[in-house]
Amino acid sequence: MNILAELRSRFEPVLTEWTDNPSSVIDMLKASQDPKFGDYQANFAMPLAARIPDLKPRDLAAQIVEKVDLSDFCEPLEIAGPGFINIKLKQDWLQEQTMQLVQDERLGVVAVEAPQKVVVDFSAPNVAKPMHVGHLRSTVIGDANYRVLKFLGHDVVGDNHIGDWGTQFGMIIFGYKHFLNEAAFQEEPVFELARLYRLVNQLSDYHASKNSLPHKEQELEQLTEKLQTLEGTADQTDKKVQKQLKKLKAELETKQKALSSLQESLSQLEANEDLKSKATAFPDIARLAREETAKLHAGDAENNDLWKQFLPQCLDLIQGVYDRLDIHFDMTLGESFYQPMLADVVADLKQKGLATESQGAICVFMKGKEAPFIVQKQDGAFTYATTDLATIKYRAEELNADRILYVVDSRQSEHFELLFSTVKDWGYTDLELQHVSFGSVLGEDGRPIKTRAGDSVGLDSLLNEAIQRAYNIVSEIDDDKHDGPELSKEERKQIAEVVGLGGIKYADLKHNRESDYRFDWDKMLAKQGDTATYMQYAYARVNGIFRKGGIDRDELRTHQQSLNLIEPTEIALAMKINRYSEILESVAAEARPNYLTNYLYELADLFSTFYDVCPVLKAEDEAVRTSRLLLSDLTARVVQNGLSLLGIRTCERM
């Protein structure tokens, strides 16, 4: 049973006496943060009483308690403070519920009654270059949401909407035609294509920066003159003048730093004879690269042949990363798949009066939004917006999607606001669209992680380092065992891969996805605290108990012994285990895997306390021993299942 859902279903009809919309306050019934206030607590009496003259919240709480019937599984309800309703489960009922989980493969998680068709759009790299650390969050957050939704019984489609048709291919094609290192291409084709992309991008940025230099110098000169004039003529004892001077000086300092940085980057490129000669040879390189993209989109035979040659090689490289991370997709429909549909999308928007021409471009204008949603540029080229609209149309009409999750970083929030608004106006009013936004992965300096060369850290190299660091930790733990090392070198390698990759995933997933987080190896792979290693160790610890006792876990479950929850730590552990289903439903509703990581950490922590306080193998009698073994087994199964839904594996021993 989902206890929280059951409690809410009992209270909701009762609340209709005081509100026409009980669903607006029912979420105020939650699990208690402190056991002394019961297992669950409701505080909706306060906001409801505020709407009713001369009714005190505590009096309203008493009336609610009188009308709701929870006698079959709860102790008599208590009213605390100004009107809190404290709910405590009956211990014998909790024991019975927990015992039912022993042989339940789904650990009390019942499949949803009304499954939705859900498309999870995640990872979505531009395939023209190797995956880097910037792709990590979308990939692991998307995969975790995919797994949880699927486990709950929804019909889920994981779609990797790869960038395989955009401007980056025009840049690569231009680079291939003019700057190719043939030997490097034959040896590592994707890395050579990535080098060409970076090179063309670097040369384009050089010319853009050089062209902007006179304007920036003029801006700085004007600002300096303005500051000097104010300093020479104004009364500097005047507080308003002081404030203005301070603001101007700060602005001047910012512009000076930006100009110095710009001049330095220009000087660095010009000091490199090879780069300088290439920049001199192609002053219009940005325009030329765009023309290569336009030719590709127009069906140019040479560019299409190159695209067809490059694409499989690029896909093979990123698939290698997905294989290592155990990431799977049901479909990989990139931008190129939707290209034939774009003209019809624009025509339909125009026909329905949603899109109009503005300065030669076709745009959708929305109330309250200054920027239009551009679906076709002045030169006739389509945009990412057009592709996204075609994608939604396909998912709604061909896949019959009820809900679409876009796991994309928070910098794209405005784009998705415009996209979702346009889609609703377009007629897809029943389609649930959600931008699952997330922050950045930062280095120790608080900035996005980069290599010493200034490039984004490659995802493959990040995974390699995680496994190597994990190997050192696993070896250290094994070497320090009281009876000497237990693991062979091969076993250490296998465990290190599980621990290393799990550590990277968990460190990302445990944060509120909308927040940035700092990448910290020591914290990520720590044996104690909120880490995958700690959870994996809790699972291995249970296996160790059963190995030491010579007990078969599967066989233990088949015998119908009863649980006997006596100690407070046993009761708390059982209570936490029974909350598993409600946590997963919260993850699914809000697309927040950190709810699950937090739950697993609290569960592992409770188990650690239970293990320290309650002897298992050395329990005082057989019935208590068996009860505690069953509770240990349940904990391990929930930890293993929960980690698997995060895409993290476990080891039988560590």
Side-chain angles (χ1 to χ4, degrees):
M1 179 194 292
N2 181 326
I3 300 170
L4 181 60
E6 180 64 22
L7 287 170
R8 287 175 174 174
S9 72
R10 302 279 186 99
F11 273 95
E12 199 161 357
V14 171
L15 296 179
T16 56
E17 187 171 330
W18 296 279
T19 175
D20 293 332
N21 185 19
S23 61
S24 65
V25 293
I26 199 65
D27 286 351
M28 299 177 82
L29 194 168
K30 300 178 180 179
S32 295
Q33 297 300 308
D34 190 331
K36 70 182 180 183
F37 299 124
D39 299 314
Y40 293 85
Q41 190 175 65
N43 62 345
F44 36 58
M46 275 77 90
L48 289 177
R51 307 172 192 174
I52 304 169
D54 303 322
L55 182 60
K56 293 179 180 179
R58 191 175 174 91
D59 293 337
L60 176 55
Q63 293 179 44
I64 294 171
V65 165
E66 189 178 337
K67 292 179 179 293
V68 72
D69 182 12
L70 303 175
S71 58
D72 52 331
F73 68 106
C74 294
E75 301 288 355
L77 303 181
E78 295 179 354
I79 301 169
F84 294 105
I85 300 172
N86 295 341
I87 307 163
K88 186 170 182 60
L89 302 177
K90 289 181 176 178
Q91 189 172 324
D92 58 350
W93 183 87
L94 179 62
Q95 283 189 177
E96 183 184 332
Q97 283 292 117
T98 310
M99 192 61 208
Q100 288 181 22
L101 302 181
V102 168
Q103 292 194 42
D104 183 359
E105 291 184 0
R106 292 185 57 83
L107 297 162
V109 182
V110 180
V112 292
E113 292 182 3
Q116 288 184 306
K117 183 66 170 281
V118 186
V119 176
V120 183
D121 182 326
F122 67 105
S123 194
N126 283 328
V127 298
K129 43 190 174 177
M131 291 180 73
H132 55 76
V133 69
H135 298 114
L136 180 65
R137 298 215 75 185
S138 175
T139 304
V140 300
I141 293 171
D143 182 56
N145 279 293
Y146 172 89
R147 290 171 184 259
V148 169
L149 287 164
K150 195 149 193 163
F151 185 65
L152 289 176
H154 294 287
D155 183 3
V156 192
V157 176
D159 187 4
N160 192 7
H161 186 66
I162 56 173
D164 64 352
W165 194 246
T167 56
Q168 77 273 16
F169 271 99
M171 298 169 83
I172 288 170
I173 290 170
F174 181 88
Y176 181 88
K177 290 180 177 179
H178 297 91
F179 309 131
L180 179 68
N181 180 326
E182 184 65 43
F185 182 73
Q186 292 302 322
E187 187 174 346
E188 292 281 2
V190 179
F191 286 93
E192 173 61 8
L193 295 179
R195 183 191 72 83
L196 295 173
Y197 170 79
R198 288 195 301 271
L199 174 60
V200 175
N201 208 29
Q202 185 180 15
L203 297 177
S204 299
D205 287 346
Y206 167 78
H207 287 297
S209 298
K210 192 168 185 180
N211 291 337
S212 71
L213 189 61
H215 176 67
K216 292 186 181 298
E217 289 173 335
Q218 186 180 17
E219 272 188 336
L220 189 62
E221 186 179 329
Q222 290 172 346
L223 192 60
T224 304
E225 289 176 0
K226 186 176 180 180
L227 178 61
Q228 290 172 343
T229 301
L230 189 64
E231 287 177 327
T233 59
D235 179 5
Q236 296 194 30
T237 61
D238 187 315
K239 287 187 177 180
K240 287 185 178 179
V241 172
Q242 290 175 353
K243 189 175 180 180
Q244 191 176 359
L245 281 170
K246 185 178 179 181
K247 184 179 178 182
L248 281 172
K249 286 177 181 177
E251 187 180 352
L252 182 64
E253 184 180 359
T254 301
K255 287 189 180 294
Q256 282 174 330
K257 286 181 179 178
L259 181 61
S260 296
S261 177
L262 183 65
Q263 290 169 331
E264 184 181 353
S265 65
L266 290 172
S267 297
Q268 285 178 348
L269 186 140
E270 289 167 354
N272 185 311
E273 290 185 12
D274 181 54
L275 291 176
K276 175 63 175 172
S277 66
K278 287 180 171 64
T280 302
F282 298 101
D284 293 331
I285 191 168
R287 177 183 59 79
L288 295 171
R290 287 196 300 271
E291 287 178 359
E292 295 292 357
T293 305
K295 286 166 64 179
L296 171 66
H297 291 177
D300 177 81
E302 181 186 13
N303 283 11
N304 268 268
D305 285 344
L306 288 174
W307 178 78
K308 289 174 183 177
Q309 178 187 352
F310 298 157
L311 190 59
Q313 297 165 327
C314 295
L315 291 175
D316 285 346
L317 188 71
I318 65 171
Q319 187 58 48
V321 176
Y322 292 139
D323 289 344
R324 294 186 72 184
L325 288 170
D326 192 24
I327 304 290
H328 306 279
F329 299 93
D330 298 298
M331 57 175 58
T332 300
L333 298 182
E335 295 166 355
S336 61
F337 177 81
Y338 299 98
Q339 188 68 14
M341 310 174 194
L342 304 188
D344 288 343
V345 167
V346 174
D348 193 39
L349 290 169
K350 289 167 71 176
Q351 191 268 326
K352 291 178 178 175
L354 294 175
T356 55
E357 185 176 332
S358 175
Q359 299 179 10
I362 306 300
C363 308
V364 177
F365 290 90
M366 276 160 275
K367 291 180 181 178
K369 300 289 183 183
E370 288 186 19
F373 201 48
I374 302 172
V375 294
Q376 192 169 14
K377 298 178 184 177
Q378 291 173 320
D379 61 3
F382 300 111
T383 66
Y384 288 119
T386 332
T387 304
D388 283 345
L389 288 167
T391 305
I392 288 175
K393 180 181 173 69
Y394 178 85
R395 289 168 175 169
E397 297 181 2
E398 300 299 324
L399 302 182
N400 298 311
D402 301 304
R403 182 185 182 196
I404 306 175
L405 304 184
Y406 287 89
V407 189
V408 182
D409 74 71
S410 55
R411 291 172 296 180
Q412 301 297 318
S413 293
E414 186 177 0
H415 168 79
F416 283 106
E417 284 180 25
L418 294 169
L419 174 66
F420 295 168
S421 180
T422 301
V423 168
K424 295 300 180 187
D425 291 344
W426 200 15
Y428 297 98
T429 54
D430 295 330
L431 186 61
E432 184 182 347
L433 300 167
Q434 183 176 358
H435 177 203
V436 181
S437 62
F438 55 83
S440 300
V441 184
L442 308 177
E444 292 179 5
D445 58 359
R447 298 178 180 179
I449 293 184
K450 300 284 185 182
T451 64
R452 288 180 182 177
D455 299 323
S456 292
V457 175
L459 203 44
D460 244 337
S461 63
L462 193 76
L463 303 184
N464 290 338
E465 183 167 357
I467 293 168
Q468 182 56 54
R469 285 174 178 264
Y471 182 84
N472 296 337
I473 291 169
V474 170
S475 299
E476 181 185 331
I477 293 172
D478 195 37
D479 290 337
D480 289 345
K481 286 176 181 172
H482 181 70
D483 297 325
E486 297 177 359
L487 305 172
S488 67
K489 186 176 180 180
E490 190 57 38
E491 285 175 312
R492 289 184 180 189
K493 284 183 178 180
Q494 292 170 357
I495 294 170
E497 182 161 328
V498 172
V499 171
L501 299 183
I504 281 185
K505 287 186 178 184
Y506 189 93
D508 192 296
L509 295 169
K510 77 174 184 179
H511 293 90
N512 178 341
R513 57 175 166 76
E514 289 163 338
S515 302
D516 298 338
Y517 77 92
R518 294 198 182 202
F519 195 91
D520 187 318
W521 285 115
D522 293 334
K523 290 181 180 178
M524 179 183 300
L525 298 172
K527 292 172 280 186
Q528 296 294 325
D530 190 8
T531 66
T533 312
Y534 182 54
M535 249 66 70
Q536 290 165 327
Y537 183 68
Y539 176 78
R541 194 180 202 182
V542 173
N543 280 282
I545 293 170
F546 280 84
R547 276 198 308 274
K548 189 175 181 180
I551 302 159
D552 186 291
R553 287 172 63 188
D554 293 328
E555 188 177 333
L556 177 75
R557 293 174 210 148
T558 60
H559 292 80
Q560 294 299 313
Q561 296 97 342
S562 61
L563 282 167
N564 189 16
L565 305 177
I566 301 171
E567 295 292 334
T569 55
E570 294 177 300
I571 296 168
L573 186 57
M575 184 67 232
K576 181 63 74 172
I577 290 169
N578 277 276
R579 290 197 60 213
Y580 186 44
S581 62
E582 65 192 57
I583 294 298
L584 292 185
E585 289 191 16
S586 296
V587 173
E590 300 183 41
R592 294 188 184 277
N594 64 299
Y595 291 170
L596 179 53
T597 61
N598 186 59
Y599 167 84
L600 292 173
Y601 174 53
E602 291 176 353
L603 178 64
D605 229 23
L606 279 170
F607 176 75
S608 181
T609 303
F610 155 79
Y611 186 71
D612 290 341
V613 173
C614 301
V616 179
L617 294 177
K618 295 181 179 179
E620 56 267 30
D621 63 50
E622 189 63 29
V624 174
R625 180 176 183 264
T626 301
S627 178
R628 289 175 180 172
L629 282 168
L630 287 170
L631 204 53
S632 299
D633 178 56
L634 270 174
T635 302
R637 290 169 59 203
V638 172
V639 168
Q640 184 182 44
N641 186 262
L643 287 176
S644 75
L645 296 181
L646 298 173
I648 297 171
R649 291 178 289 160
T650 50
C651 300
E652 295 302 303
R653 59 180 182 166
M654 287 176 65

